[in-house]
Amino acid sequence: MIVDCAIYRDGRRTEGPEDLSDALQEARASGDAFLWIGLYEPTEKEFDLVTEEFGLHPLAVEDALKAHQRPKLEVYEDSLFMVFKPVSYEPRSDTVHSGELMVFLGDSFVVTVRHGKDRPLGSIRRHLEQQPEMLRLGPTGVLYSIADSIVDQYLDVATELGTDLEELETEVFSPSAGGSRHTASRIYTFKRQVLEFRRATVPLAPPLARLAGQMASGATVPFVQEKSRPFFRDVHDHLTRVNESVEALDRLVSDVLSAHLAQMSVRQNDDMRKISGWAAMAAVPTMIAGIYGMNFDHMPELHWVASYPAVILAMAALEVLLYRLFKRRGWL
């Protein structure tokens, strides 16, 4: 469905004709205007009209309709196609949710296609409408604002994940909760959240570097103004910080998992030592009782009156000796 449609002229929003073809012709005729159409999870039938009017490439249209794409930048003859993965963080469940946002740029038009509930474009559009100088950059200004807003959201999510990791570290190294059976599950779940976040941020670096003119070839990108490169460089720098944070989070959560498994192994060894110590203590009276439980007539002190208390005292003395020995060595 079409969420919003407007013509922007000289940095100001103006309402244009309802017919997309007439609106696009009016924007191109002005020379300093462009048409911005926003769509939310359009059907193939709804998108056919947009495809026909703007001459969008069928491969890009297929990607926009089916979604489930990696962040990327593709240049076609009549348009530029870029994919973003907006990310949001749910503090109640400590989970990362991602959506998809596709942007088509062409001669005097911008078409945005959004999938999922993450990062609605209404707030970006309203914020951009308060910055006429950015709107004067035309479709390039819209692309920059979208990229800047999404990467800023990445920074917030990275901060939230860092806080969660600190709490997880505290739990792992806590004497009481570190060995909980649910700790390993929490660590693995957190690692999955980091992986989901990483799928959104890492592939976006090459497209932004290309828009910023930081690729080896240094070639310009069609439909993007040359003077906008510093803006995209700034966004790319922010994304670099995010990716560094993601890499650090991934390494740290792997270290936390290794530390947890090491702690579990140490605690299992401690438990095995304790079990072995108690088993050894139980073996001594069992052995003595087993010997004197044999039905032989000729056994030492078998008919001695004091033999029973003597054996009991010997058992107790050996138990005390073994207990003190194991306790001194840290087995009990």
Side-chain angles (χ1 to χ4, degrees):
M1 57 178 292
I2 296 179
V3 179
D4 200 351
C5 177
I7 294 177
Y8 293 86
R9 182 180 290 106
D10 192 29
R12 302 294 179 184
R13 177 180 177 131
T14 61
E15 299 302 327
E18 294 184 1
D19 184 78
L20 295 182
S21 179
D22 295 339
L24 182 59
Q25 289 180 6
E26 180 179 330
R28 288 175 173 172
S30 300
D32 60 347
F34 68 94
L35 177 65
W36 182 1
I37 300 176
L39 299 99
Y40 176 68
E41 296 185 352
T43 63
E44 185 175 353
K45 184 177 180 180
E46 291 173 338
F47 208 63
D48 282 343
L49 178 61
V50 178
T51 303
E52 181 181 352
E53 295 295 341
F54 296 93
L56 305 180
H57 197 279
L59 291 177
V61 171
E62 181 181 358
D63 290 344
L65 288 174
K66 293 185 177 180
H68 304 293
Q69 304 295 318
R70 285 166 53 92
K72 61 181 179 178
L73 173 65
E74 295 181 354
V75 178
Y76 298 100
E77 183 178 355
D78 297 323
S79 63
L80 179 75
F81 178 64
M82 190 162 183
V83 179
F84 297 92
K85 289 186 73 70
V87 169
S88 63
Y89 178 81
E90 177 55 52
R92 292 184 179 180
S93 57
D94 295 336
T95 54
V96 173
H97 300 283
S98 63
E100 289 191 40
L101 177 61
M102 290 80 169
V103 182
F104 292 89
L105 250 70
D107 181 15
S108 302
F109 73 84
V110 180
V111 178
T112 54
V113 182
R114 183 168 62 91
H115 292 268
K117 298 180 179 180
D118 298 296
R119 204 58 186 170
L121 284 173
S123 58
I124 299 177
R125 188 187 287 260
R126 289 190 296 271
H127 178 70
L128 190 57
E129 288 173 355
Q130 297 174 1
Q131 297 179 306
E133 67 282 356
M134 186 59 63
L135 279 173
R136 290 191 181 98
L137 291 175
T140 303
V142 176
L143 181 62
Y144 160 73
S145 297
I146 292 174
D148 185 54
S149 178
I150 290 175
V151 172
D152 284 345
Q153 184 70 13
Y154 288 166
L155 289 169
D156 295 337
V157 173
T159 302
E160 295 287 350
L161 288 175
T163 302
D164 284 351
L165 182 57
E166 291 177 0
E167 295 175 356
L168 196 57
E169 285 180 309
T170 302
E171 178 182 339
V172 167
F173 293 104
S174 171
S176 58
S180 171
R181 68 180 66 181
H182 302 296
T183 303
S185 176
R186 282 199 61 195
I187 296 173
Y188 180 75
T189 301
F190 183 84
K191 193 171 181 64
R192 292 289 300 176
Q193 303 306 313
V194 174
L195 178 61
E196 180 71 18
F197 188 38
R198 187 174 183 174
R199 287 173 178 168
T201 64
V202 174
L204 185 58
L208 284 179
R210 188 177 176 185
L211 291 171
Q214 295 180 339
M215 301 300 286
S217 62
T220 59
V221 180
F223 309 107
V224 176
Q225 295 188 23
E226 183 74 16
K227 60 182 179 181
S228 67
R229 282 189 171 188
F231 295 101
F232 287 109
R233 277 200 298 268
D234 181 67
V235 178
H236 184 265
D237 290 342
H238 291 173
L239 182 64
T240 300
R241 288 171 49 197
V242 172
N243 286 334
E244 289 174 351
S245 299
V246 172
E247 293 293 336
L249 287 170
D250 191 48
R251 288 195 301 269
L252 282 173
V253 73
S254 297
D255 293 342
V256 168
L257 180 59
S258 299
H260 172 67
L261 295 177
Q263 281 187 324
M264 294 295 293
S265 178
V266 169
R267 290 180 183 181
Q268 287 177 351
N269 290 337
D270 289 341
D271 293 340
M272 288 302 299
R273 283 202 300 267
K274 291 180 181 180
I275 293 172
S276 300
W278 287 112
M281 292 174 61
V284 172
T286 301
M287 179 187 68
I288 296 175
I291 291 174
Y292 280 92
M294 293 185 293
N295 295 320
F296 294 132
D297 289 333
H298 303 287
M299 292 182 68
E301 291 84 28
L302 186 63
H303 299 287
W304 184 32
V305 176
S307 60
Y308 177 75
V311 169
I312 295 298
L313 288 175
M315 289 183 182
L318 288 172
E319 290 294 299
V320 171
L321 179 63
L322 288 174
Y323 180 82
R324 294 185 64 182
L325 177 63
F326 292 152
K327 191 73 174 179
R328 185 181 303 172
R329 294 185 177 183
W331 282 36
L332 296 176

